[in-house]
Amino acid sequence: MHSFHYSNGSLHCEGVSIADVAEKHGTPLYVYSSETFRDRYMRLDDAFSAIDHEVAYAVKANSNLSVLRLLAGLGSGFDIVSGGELFRVLKAGGDPGKCTFAGVGKTREEIEYALREGIYSINVESEEESAFISQVAGELNLVAPIAFRVNPNVDAKTHKYISTGKSENKFGIDFEFIADAYERASKLPNLNLKGLQMHIGSQLTSISPFVEAVEKVAPLAADLKAKYGIEFFSIGGGIGIVYEKALASGSESWWNDQPEEIRPLTPEQYATAIIPTLEPLGLKILLEPGRFIAGNAGILVSKCLYEKKGTTKTFKIVDSGMHQLIRPALYEGFHEIVPVTESAGAVESVDVVGPICESGDFFCQNRQVNSFMPGELIALMSAGAYGMVMASTYNSHPLPAEILVDGEQAKVVRKRQTLQDLVEAEEV
Ligand SMILES: *Cc1c(COP(=O)(O)O)cnc(C)c1O
């Protein structure tokens, strides 16, 4: 289920020792597993093999060129949210004809770029946007393939495993207005109504919100097919991953041991629950997973610099922080922390914090972790999605390097930034 495990007491990614790559390339360091990316992509793709479908990886989760290249090689399409992401996909050899372009705030330049490159569909989030796209397409003498994003008003937040920090309110067009939006757009000269799209949220680990949304929106998709001949229905991304027991969840046996009620969603379960509703539509079904493909495929390796004992707390100060993995600070995201050299089992309650001058700069607070000391390496698990893509150079720390492992090979797929890189675009 992922390819990070202890071997002879030392953490490995596939056949590569994490201590060895950290020794060679320094820390902090992102390390990704090719095998895990491939496995996740293929499991999801296989789960939907009974129907016409396409996986469009959500680039924003992890946009490293080598990651995109790997997925393009498997036949993946791409869900992009900016011109910059389209540029990356093209650089990586991805097929623009398999790209969908989402997001509420596309600029003229981005729309022109997407149309010129011949992307599969622009997923439109307001009627103002559809009118503007028609105008821009007209100026280019093109017809823009579009889909509207419907906001199905399904409460994904009532389920306990779902992150509640993110409001989706600005996204999509209300279910009540969507039929009219298509009707008006069908009269615009330079639009081709190609599909319907939705995306109800992220890190969903239970099936019911997905089922509810698909069942609510499927009749609309059937109507739109009858009226305007749409060809696809994108059901979005959002499949959750394991964060709390991330390391253990690498093994198939861990999954088999989980009681039914608490077992995280599997691609097979997801497919089985919704295919019966989707199949009769006779539409191409698009899937837009980001986190599911990338999340468990990466770790952030960091070194402990100091231990500071206060009156009430023990702080482990490490060489990475919120500037390189912001999920804990941004939405209380949980990352399992494990020592790279397996420890004898001593556990202590600590705050693992970074060097940044912000009180929000922590990876965990008052958490029982396997003890580690200054000089030792730790891994933040499940850091492959929404990790490096959100990294910044705040406090003028150079961005970390990224390594992509494949079997016994560890390749640098992004060089560590230098101090000179930090100031390259600036002038005195
Ligand atoms: C972010 C996003 C996704 C991917 O979400 P995950 O939770 O990472 O699977 C898919 N579709 C759209 C439109 C998105 O904005």
Side-chain angles (χ1 to χ4, degrees):
M1 307 291 295
H2 70 68
S3 305
F4 295 89
H5 56 273
Y6 285 117
S7 175
N8 293 323
S10 138
L11 188 65
H12 279 63
C13 173
E14 304 186 25
V16 168
S17 148
I18 296 299
D20 287 353
V21 274
E23 169 77 25
K24 187 159 176 206
H25 301 286
T27 57
L29 189 68
Y30 274 97
V31 181
Y32 306 126
S33 157
S34 300
E35 188 174 81
T36 308
F37 275 107
R38 279 195 288 267
D39 179 63
R40 291 293 170 114
Y41 175 88
M42 278 152 54
R43 270 192 70 175
L44 187 60
D45 195 39
D46 286 350
F48 282 84
S49 57
I51 57 172
D52 183 14
H53 74 284
E54 196 155 277
V55 177
Y57 167 68
V59 172
K60 74 174 187 282
N62 185 323
S63 59
N64 183 285
L65 291 183
S66 289
V67 167
L68 301 181
R69 167 75 61 125
L70 186 159
L71 292 168
L74 298 173
S76 185
F78 297 96
D79 184 58
I80 58 172
V81 292
S82 71
E85 287 191 349
L86 177 56
F87 183 74
R88 285 180 172 276
V89 168
L90 297 174
K91 276 262 172 206
D95 178 357
K98 287 185 176 182
C99 283
T100 51
F101 187 1
V104 295
K106 304 175 193 83
T107 64
R108 169 186 286 271
E109 291 73 21
E110 289 176 315
I111 293 165
E112 285 183 359
Y113 183 30
L115 291 176
R116 285 211 172 92
E117 293 296 340
I119 72 162
Y120 179 66
S121 175
I122 301 183
N123 294 343
V124 178
E125 309 227 10
S126 66
E127 288 206 61
E128 289 76 3
E129 187 191 336
S130 55
F132 185 58
I133 292 171
S134 179
Q135 180 198 322
V136 173
E139 287 164 21
L140 299 177
N141 277 319
L142 293 170
V143 173
I146 68 150
F148 278 108
R149 174 172 180 170
V150 60
N151 186 333
N153 193 27
V154 165
D155 191 359
K157 294 180 181 173
T158 54
H159 294 260
K160 64 175 178 175
Y161 289 114
I162 297 160
S163 120
T164 54
K166 203 165 122 189
S167 165
E168 302 271 323
N169 290 349
K170 70 175 177 179
F171 296 108
I173 292 178
D174 288 346
F175 189 77
E176 292 73 15
F177 302 153
I178 196 85
D180 287 347
Y182 275 90
E183 185 53 36
R184 282 189 282 269
S186 72
K187 306 213 165 77
L188 293 174
N190 290 77
L191 297 183
N192 168 14
L193 303 181
K194 203 164 182 182
L196 173 67
Q197 199 268 351
M198 68 174 177
H199 173 68
I200 60 168
S202 200
Q203 184 54 15
L204 279 73
T205 52
S206 99
I207 189 66
S208 46
F210 286 120
V211 170
E212 195 186 330
V214 166
E215 287 180 352
K216 182 166 180 187
V217 175
L220 170 68
D223 273 3
L224 296 172
K225 185 185 177 200
K227 276 200 186 119
Y228 311 109
I230 66 164
E231 66 179 52
F232 77 88
F233 176 25
S234 170
I235 59 172
I239 310 174
I241 61 163
V242 176
Y243 281 105
E244 296 242 352
K245 301 282 179 199
L247 185 59
S249 76
S251 80
E252 199 76 41
S253 60
W254 180 86
W255 287 77
N256 297 334
D257 290 347
Q258 298 308 300
E260 197 67 48
E261 326 77 75
I262 64 160
R263 180 183 307 152
L265 189 59
T266 64
E268 294 77 18
Q269 220 184 326
Y270 177 63
T272 307
I274 58 179
I275 283 179
T277 312
L278 296 173
E279 189 168 17
L281 297 174
L283 291 165
K284 185 202 293 205
I285 302 303
L286 296 195
L287 310 162
E288 301 169 354
R291 191 189 309 272
F292 176 76
I293 305 268
N296 292 132
I299 62 172
L300 173 58
V301 184
S302 180
K303 188 195 241 172
C304 182
L305 300 174
Y306 303 102
E307 178 185 70
K308 179 157 94 171
K309 285 198 188 279
T311 50
T312 57
K313 283 194 169 205
T314 298
F315 296 99
K316 303 277 186 180
I317 301 162
V318 301
D319 68 358
S320 184
M322 65 180 295
H323 53 317
Q324 294 164 353
L325 180 62
I326 202 175
R327 293 188 66 261
L330 190 61
Y331 27 63
E332 299 182 301
F334 184 101
H335 289 275
E336 189 184 17
I337 297 173
V338 302
V340 166
T341 300
E342 203 167 12
S343 70
V347 167
E348 60 179 327
S349 175
V350 298
D351 282 22
V352 178
V353 303
I356 300 298
C357 303
E358 298 281 346
S359 295
D361 179 28
F362 57 83
F363 287 139
C364 69
Q365 292 177 305
N366 305 317
R367 190 191 298 173
Q368 299 282 328
V369 300
N370 280 319
S371 193
F372 57 87
M373 295 311 284
E376 292 182 344
L377 297 171
I378 57 165
L380 291 125
M381 302 303 295
S382 316
Y386 307 108
M388 184 63 178
V389 283
M390 291 197 201
S392 77
T393 59
Y394 183 41
N395 283 200
S396 289
H397 287 280
L399 292 173
E402 294 178 287
I403 303 286
L404 182 61
V405 169
D406 198 353
E408 311 282 315
Q409 309 271 54
K411 223 176 103 195
V412 179
V413 292
R414 180 186 183 117
K415 284 185 273 192
R416 182 177 304 283
Q417 261 191 337
T418 63
L419 295 179
Q420 186 56 38
D421 292 335
L422 280 179
V423 296
E424 204 56 42
E426 296 174 37
E427 291 188 49
V428 182

